[in-house]
């Protein structure tokens, strides 16, 4: 029967052979000896060094991130000699880092129940052939200029037909603002209300505070929610009041005009309250300039 020492010797011989075989490739040999580490240590890591060498070769023939052949796209399996051992790490390549850094502004944009693609909305992609968009784009330019002043400009109450691109437009503005370091939240209002209600006793206060104070806020699709006394008088009212008093730009999109919204807000399951609905509309008017986007439905 073989003892442990003999078995170890056999393993080592096998490793040495595979190392020598691998070194038949001159490039591999240059790669491993370039690590400046003793051969007896290199031998123990032959297989991992082969993986690292392959990834290194892929990188020297790089044709761009989209055709990256490495195990993890944009990362290179790399040997790091540390005394008598070699550790291996996945290191980010410069191209991947550039993409990551150029996208980092998107962290300034927080979405709630809106498709993630909305983070790609940009000024340069706004349909220029559509005249209906021009007054909105003009306002965006003024908004960005005025935003530098101490008193912040008003948001927009953007009404218009379904699928005309209202949400996209405001998201494009928020993206540009994000590039300047400004934080924003875009919330799909009907769904947000439902989840806010469900967060009672959990993190309701944090959620409410967060949207109350965020520098730029979009309440998307207001008027599509089931209005209740609670949502109107305990949520929307105080939220708008706070943002008004603190000059925090607030945007709305809606399929309803302001007078249609007023009607919708006045009716809840508890009855009709025109005064409370009126008060909300007054706050929206204080916070925004009204604009309209009637255009073809861009959804398909
Ligand atoms: P609305 O909010 O008015 O209902 P959306 O903003 O959701 O409409 O736009 C409808 C569809 O058209 C969405 O899929 C949106 O991404 C797309 N869209 C609108 N404007 C553009 C644009 N300039 N470039 C690319 N897609 C756009
Ligand atoms: Mg929308």
């Amino acid at each position: 029967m073989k003892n442990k020492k003999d078995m170890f010797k056999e393993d080592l011989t096998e490793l040495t052979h595979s190392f020598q075989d691998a070194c038949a490739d001159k490039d591999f040999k240059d790669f491993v000896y370039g690590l400046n580490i003793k051969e007896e240590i290199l031998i123990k890591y032959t297989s991992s060094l082969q993986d690292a060498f392959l990834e290194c070769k892929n990188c020297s023939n790089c044709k761009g991130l989209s055709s990256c052949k490495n195990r993890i796209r944009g990362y290179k399996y790399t040997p790091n000699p540390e005394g008598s051992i070699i550790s291996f790490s996945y290191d980010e390549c410069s191209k991947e880092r550039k993409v990551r850094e150029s996208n980092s502004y998107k962290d300034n944009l927080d979405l709630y129940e809106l498709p993630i693609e909305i983070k790609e909305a940009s000024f340069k992609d706004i349909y220029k052939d559509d005249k209906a968009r021009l007054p909105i784009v003009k306002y965006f330019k003024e908004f960005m200029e005025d935003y530098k002043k101490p008193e912040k400009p008003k948001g927009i109450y953007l009404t218009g037909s379904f699928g005309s691109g209202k949400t996209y437009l405001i998201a494009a503005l928020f993206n540009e603002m994000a590039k300047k370091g400004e934080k924003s939240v875009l919330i799909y209002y009907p769904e947000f209300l439902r989840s806010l209600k469900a967060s009672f006793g959990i993190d309701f206060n944090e959620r409410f505070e967060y949207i109350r104070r965020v520098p730029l806020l979009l309440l998307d699709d207001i008027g599509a929610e089931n209005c209740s006394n609670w949502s109107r008088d305990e949520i929307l009212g105080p939220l708008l009041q706070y943002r008004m008093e603190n000059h925090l730009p607030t945007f709305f999109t809606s399929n309803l005009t302001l007078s249609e919204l007023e009607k919708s807000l006045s009716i809840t399951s508890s009855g009709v309250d025109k005064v409370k609905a009126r008060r909300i509309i007054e706050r929206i008017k204080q916070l925004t300039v009204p604009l309209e986007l009637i255009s073809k439905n861009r959804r398909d």
Side-chain angles (χ1 to χ4, degrees):
M1 209 172 138
K2 289 176 195 166
N3 63 27
K4 265 192 176 167
K5 209 169 155 191
D6 287 341
M7 280 166 68
F8 178 70
K9 252 189 195 163
E10 256 176 44
D11 282 351
L12 201 61
T13 319
E14 213 171 291
L15 280 172
T16 310
H17 280 150
S18 45
F19 181 72
Q20 283 162 350
D21 286 349
C23 283
D25 180 340
K26 187 179 170 303
D27 291 338
F28 175 79
K29 196 172 172 185
D30 290 348
F31 174 72
V32 294
Y33 283 98
L35 296 173
N36 284 324
I37 193 160
K38 285 188 196 140
E39 191 179 280
E40 66 239 45
I41 297 168
L42 291 175
I43 286 170
K44 295 184 201 160
Y45 294 93
T46 306
S47 157
S48 299
L49 287 168
Q50 280 176 307
D51 291 345
F53 170 63
L54 191 69
E55 298 225 330
C56 187
K57 219 158 87 178
N58 289 339
C59 288
S60 40
N61 296 319
C62 176
K63 302 232 168 9
L65 267 182
S66 55
S67 47
C68 176
K69 292 195 178 113
N70 285 353
R71 218 177 303 174
I72 304 176
R73 201 188 87 155
Y75 287 78
K76 183 166 72 170
Y77 191 57
T78 309
N80 309 293
E82 290 164 12
S84 59
I85 63 160
I86 305 178
S87 68
F88 289 82
S89 56
Y90 282 100
D91 293 357
E92 186 178 40
C93 79
S94 59
K95 292 191 175 107
E96 174 69 19
R97 186 178 328 118
K98 219 165 157 187
V99 169
R100 183 173 52 76
E101 284 172 358
S102 70
N103 276 329
S104 65
Y105 74 88
K106 289 181 185 159
D107 293 342
N108 286 333
L109 224 79
D110 219 347
L111 302 181
Y112 194 86
E113 291 291 328
L114 282 167
I116 187 87
E117 301 85 66
I118 210 88
K119 288 201 178 195
E120 305 302 326
S122 72
F123 275 2
K124 71 173 174 26
D125 290 332
I126 292 175
Y127 302 123
K128 306 283 182 313
D129 53 343
D130 181 2
K131 293 220 164 31
R133 281 167 162 71
L134 295 180
I136 301 160
V137 173
K138 184 167 171 272
Y139 186 77
F140 284 174
K141 292 199 174 127
E142 288 167 20
F143 180 90
M144 290 184 74
E145 259 320 294
D146 292 348
Y147 198 83
K148 297 173 195 154
K149 299 176 188 163
E151 184 154 341
K152 301 295 178 221
K154 289 183 174 192
I156 297 175
Y157 182 85
L158 187 55
T159 180
S161 49
F162 173 82
S164 57
K166 300 182 293 297
T167 305
Y168 186 96
L169 279 168
I170 309 293
L173 173 68
F174 283 11
N175 264 327
E176 298 302 323
M177 296 299 290
K179 286 178 193 159
K180 296 181 185 301
E182 209 54 74
K183 293 214 181 295
S184 59
V185 180
L186 297 85
I187 60 178
Y188 180 62
Y189 190 61
E191 189 51 46
F192 178 74
L193 271 181
R194 270 192 285 274
S195 83
L196 193 63
K197 202 167 182 180
S199 73
F200 258 137
I202 311 167
D203 57 354
F204 173 88
N205 286 341
E206 287 84 346
R207 280 169 180 247
F208 191 52
E209 276 307 286
Y210 180 51
I211 63 156
R212 228 157 67 113
R213 292 170 188 270
V214 69
L216 298 166
L217 176 68
L218 167 65
L219 298 184
D220 192 47
D221 236 343
I222 192 169
E225 73 280 12
N226 278 329
C227 181
S228 66
N229 283 1
W230 172 77
S231 68
R232 182 190 58 205
D233 307 333
E234 307 292 327
I235 301 299
L236 192 56
L239 171 65
L240 301 186
Q241 183 68 27
Y242 182 88
R243 296 191 65 84
M244 214 172 76
E245 284 166 2
N246 292 280
H247 304 284
L248 294 165
T250 309
F251 292 72
F252 303 80
T253 70
S254 183
N255 292 332
L256 307 181
T257 61
L258 269 175
S259 59
E260 286 166 341
L261 181 68
E262 183 171 349
K263 212 176 281 168
S264 152
L265 287 172
S266 67
I267 306 161
T268 70
S269 55
S270 326
V272 177
D273 194 328
K274 288 188 177 167
V275 176
K276 288 200 169 123
R278 178 88 229 142
R279 224 176 269 157
I280 299 279
I281 298 300
E282 285 309 322
R283 286 177 194 158
I284 296 179
K285 281 185 175 166
Q286 283 273 326
L287 278 163
T288 60
V289 296
L291 288 169
E292 195 176 44
L293 181 62
I294 306 291
S295 188
K296 69 175 182 194
N297 185 354
R298 308 268 172 178
R299 292 183 201 192
D300 34 43

